Amino acid sequence: MAFWAGGSPSIVDYFPSEDFYRCGYCKNELGSRSNGMWAHSMTVQDYQDLIDRGWRRSGKYVYKPVMNQTCCPQYTIRCRPLQFQPSKSHKKVLKKMLKFLAKGEIPKGSCKDEPMDSTVDDAVAGDFALINKLDIQCDLKTLSDDLKESLESEGKNSKKEEPHELLQSQDFAGEKLGSGEPSHSVKVHTVPKPGKGADLSKPPCRKAKEIRKERRRLKLLQQNPAGGQDGFQAQGQPPSLFPAKANSNQPKALEDLIFESLPENASHKLEVRVVRSSPPSSQFKATLLESYQVYKRYQMVIHKNSPDTPTESQFTRFLCTSPLEAETPPNGPDCGYGSFHQQYWLDGKIIAVGVIDILPNCVSSVYLYYDPDYSFLSLGVYSALREIAFTRQLHEKTSQLSYYYMGFYIHSCPKMKYKGQYRPSDLLCPETYVWVPIEQCLPSLENSKYCRFNQDPEAVDEDRSTEPDRLQVFHKRAIMPYGVYKKHQKDPSEEAAVLQYASLVGQKCSERMLLLRH
């Protein structure tokens, strides 16, 4: 059919909320409520549109909190990386990492004042029992060959290997895609601390040295405008996006802070590699066991899990399996769209993994886990800053990809409020689905857990379901509009569930996605 002829469609089973369950934030035994769907497959554009309506995925389970009923309302939050400036606490974390890499220096005291998880456990995220149960009920295999035959007969593009093969070369490039530390030949320009400027009590050769370093840096960039295979692409930024600093009073760019040059005899080497997790690339498969062991230790030490949980199978379903279809359009990022693991390698071993989705308009952070032995490096904050820098890098080729989604902001949960510290950022209005600067939302949240952020009382959801009969249904080997399907159904609860689904996903997605009816 024309609405998905370019590739595989999104195929979902919808599960309306029936009752309340235990909240993973405030621990209320019967406080949390959400609607969900099991996504057998999903296009990146559909998922982009869904998260812009307050949905979020955990494995293949995609859920949306019932905002005006749940005990801890969860507001989708996004950061604007192109305008992002690191705060003093962010700079402190980056300097701490640089000192550790350069000299092996380990900070004294605890780091409890710095949030460690860039995406602290979501209420549904840790519910392995629910995910496993749905995985068994809704496995794509249970659809037999009927669905596959129907999709192929409608013009489904069955070339599945192209994204996988394309990414093999990307994986082995490593630093080009994943942003390893700059090679020692690249000297990153450094300037005096903001507000200090030139110190006349020091020899004038300091200024000349800075000029020489800048000339060397520009010469290297002219020789390799794309940033090269050895470094972070954002080092070769177009002047219009991240202009060179005109004077020493301007703050350093995020990239300058992250990729400050290290001495040749540095104590440690850090590399960040991005590998496709779904479908799994060869590099992902080769490192899966090591990655799982890091996650297992993280759960045991940080979240006090028993040694026998989670199993490798649960880990795979939760953090490796994804419904997102890999897409590699020519105008997209070099790595393509879909689900990835951003692996942090220290001296040849994995110490942290950020699970991310790369979508048409954003990088969406799904989860972070790390080796507890390196908690002193504040890896949650560090990884969030790296993901913001990575978004800026991807934006250079794909201009519409310009946001960093951090999951849910929960004002009533102290350990989740830190996400608001990455400024500028916006919260999603739960009624009209428009983005509102967080500064405008906070006063309302101080007075009420649930808030409509859009101040225009006449504003409505522009993508609300207005023609539910156009919703696409897959039933008994046939794809049909809901208007045709409902003529053969007499169960009133069936209609209520379908209409609720349509209202939650919006008109656009309801016409593109296939809703399974059994």
Side-chain angles (χ1 to χ4, degrees):
M1 296 179 72
F3 63 91
W4 51 261
S8 302
S10 300
I11 308 167
V12 300
D13 263 309
Y14 178 63
F15 299 97
S17 174
E18 296 179 353
D19 47 36
F20 291 84
Y21 54 90
R22 186 176 187 273
C23 177
Y25 303 109
C26 70
K27 312 306 178 186
N28 186 330
E29 290 298 329
L30 294 173
S32 187
R33 191 172 197 182
S34 66
N35 295 295
M37 53 190 174
W38 188 263
H40 300 281
S41 65
M42 184 164 285
T43 67
V44 291
Q45 185 60 59
D46 283 341
Y47 187 56
Q48 176 71 67
D49 289 343
L50 286 174
I51 62 175
D52 283 335
R53 294 182 64 83
W55 292 81
R56 182 162 166 77
R57 79 172 185 89
S58 178
K60 287 192 171 186
Y61 184 65
V62 188
Y63 63 99
K64 186 180 191 304
V66 182
M67 296 289 282
N68 59 352
Q69 297 181 28
T70 192
C71 56
C72 296
Q74 301 155 57
Y75 300 92
T76 303
I77 183 171
R78 73 177 187 185
C79 173
R80 286 174 260 153
L82 305 189
Q83 294 83 38
F84 175 79
Q85 285 293 337
S87 66
K88 287 184 178 180
S89 63
H90 295 153
K91 292 176 182 178
K92 179 181 176 182
V93 170
L94 294 175
K95 288 178 181 177
K96 180 166 57 177
M97 175 64 80
L98 288 171
K99 287 180 180 179
F100 173 72
L101 295 176
K103 304 176 183 178
E105 186 176 312
I106 297 176
K108 297 178 181 179
S110 66
C111 302
K112 290 183 179 180
D113 58 323
E114 296 163 350
M116 295 306 299
D117 290 352
S118 63
T119 48
V120 179
D121 295 2
D122 289 331
V124 175
D127 195 342
F128 290 116
L130 172 63
I131 294 175
N132 292 344
K133 179 181 178 182
L134 291 175
D135 203 6
I136 294 170
Q137 289 179 347
C138 307
D139 195 298
L140 191 57
K141 295 177 183 176
T142 64
L143 302 179
S144 70
D145 294 328
D146 293 349
L147 178 59
K148 295 178 184 177
E149 290 174 6
S150 297
L151 296 178
E152 288 169 3
S153 68
E154 294 287 353
K156 178 183 177 183
N157 182 357
S158 60
K159 292 184 179 181
K160 288 268 185 177
E161 292 301 316
E162 287 186 18
H164 178 77
E165 293 302 321
L166 175 71
L167 274 161
Q168 292 309 305
S169 60
Q170 300 278 3
D171 285 344
F172 289 114
E175 290 80 4
K176 176 187 176 185
L177 194 138
S179 66
E181 293 299 318
S183 62
H184 294 303
S185 62
V186 179
K187 300 296 184 182
V188 180
H189 176 50
T190 59
V191 297
K193 293 183 178 180
K196 290 190 175 181
D199 187 346
L200 298 179
S201 66
K202 294 183 179 180
C205 63
R206 171 63 182 169
K207 183 177 180 181
K209 181 180 178 183
E210 295 296 343
I211 293 174
R212 290 197 300 272
K213 289 173 71 175
E214 177 65 13
R215 284 176 179 167
R216 194 182 311 127
R217 174 175 171 271
L218 291 174
K219 184 177 179 181
L220 285 168
L221 292 178
Q222 288 171 356
Q223 292 172 352
N224 191 0
Q229 298 287 324
D230 297 324
F232 187 63
Q233 282 188 328
Q235 288 175 215
Q237 308 135 355
S240 60
L241 181 58
F242 305 118
K245 290 179 270 301
N247 61 67
S248 61
N249 290 326
Q250 291 189 8
K252 285 186 181 181
L254 176 62
E255 290 75 15
D256 288 338
L257 293 166
I258 292 175
F259 299 107
E260 190 168 318
S261 58
L262 296 172
E264 292 189 11
N265 62 343
S267 298
H268 301 285
K269 180 182 179 182
L270 178 70
E271 291 180 284
V272 179
R273 306 174 189 171
V274 176
V275 296
R276 185 178 286 281
S277 55
S278 181
S281 66
S282 59
Q283 189 170 353
F284 176 82
K285 292 176 182 177
T287 57
L288 180 60
L289 182 59
E290 182 177 356
S291 184
Y292 164 62
Q293 293 299 333
V294 173
Y295 176 72
K296 191 171 183 178
R297 291 199 66 232
Y298 169 80
Q299 287 294 328
M300 288 172 58
V301 177
I302 304 299
H303 295 294
K304 313 303 179 186
N305 282 16
S306 61
D308 57 339
T309 59
T311 64
E312 187 174 352
S313 174
Q314 289 171 329
F315 162 74
T316 301
R317 285 176 175 156
F318 174 34
L319 292 173
C320 305
T321 305
S322 168
L324 299 186
E325 295 288 322
E327 298 180 28
T328 55
N331 60 340
D334 291 338
C335 56
Y337 297 118
S339 298
F340 299 83
H341 279 197
Q342 195 164 40
Q343 302 173 335
Y344 294 77
W345 290 77
L346 181 69
D347 302 332
K349 72 172 185 177
I350 298 175
I351 64 165
V353 177
V355 183
I356 60 173
D357 293 329
I358 300 178
L359 304 174
N361 298 338
C362 72
V363 170
S364 175
S365 179
V366 179
Y367 200 77
L368 172 83
Y369 55 95
Y370 55 86
D371 186 334
D373 287 348
Y374 296 91
S375 293
F376 62 88
L377 290 174
S378 302
L379 291 170
V381 177
Y382 183 78
S383 67
L385 296 172
R386 290 294 294 247
E387 287 170 7
I388 289 172
F390 184 50
T391 306
R392 288 158 65 120
Q393 173 190 333
L394 297 179
H395 171 82
E396 291 184 31
K397 181 183 178 184
T398 310
S399 59
Q400 73 271 19
L401 203 166
S402 54
Y403 295 101
Y404 173 58
Y405 284 47
M406 296 178 281
F408 288 137
Y409 173 84
I410 305 174
H411 193 73
S412 58
C413 180
K415 73 175 182 178
M416 297 297 283
K417 290 173 69 173
Y418 74 91
K419 293 183 182 183
Q421 297 171 5
Y422 297 85
R423 303 286 180 94
S425 58
D426 310 299
L427 297 183
L428 186 67
C429 176
E431 295 182 9
T432 62
Y433 303 114
V434 297
W435 294 98
V436 180
I438 192 170
E439 295 86 354
Q440 298 178 25
C441 304
L442 295 180
S444 299
L445 289 172
E446 286 295 328
N447 296 322
S448 174
K449 286 185 178 181
Y450 174 75
C451 298
R452 171 192 166 111
F453 299 135
N454 192 330
Q455 297 300 308
D456 180 0
E458 303 298 322
V460 296
D461 171 14
E462 295 294 336
D463 190 38
R464 64 192 181 281
S465 176
T466 54
E467 299 180 85
D469 284 357
R470 293 173 60 87
L471 178 151
Q472 295 297 317
V473 172
F474 186 84
H475 179 63
K476 291 185 177 179
R477 299 189 62 179
I479 299 171
M480 66 190 78
Y482 178 64
V484 174
Y485 169 80
K486 72 177 182 179
K487 293 178 181 178
H488 307 285
Q489 300 299 315
K490 297 180 180 180
D491 183 358
S493 64
E494 169 90 356
E495 182 175 19
V498 172
L499 293 180
Q500 184 186 65
Y501 160 82
S503 70
L504 295 176
V505 303
Q507 187 68 36
K508 287 186 297 186
C509 282
S510 73
E511 292 186 36
R512 293 195 306 250
M513 295 163 55
L514 299 183
L515 175 65
L516 285 169
R517 306 315 291 168
H518 302 287

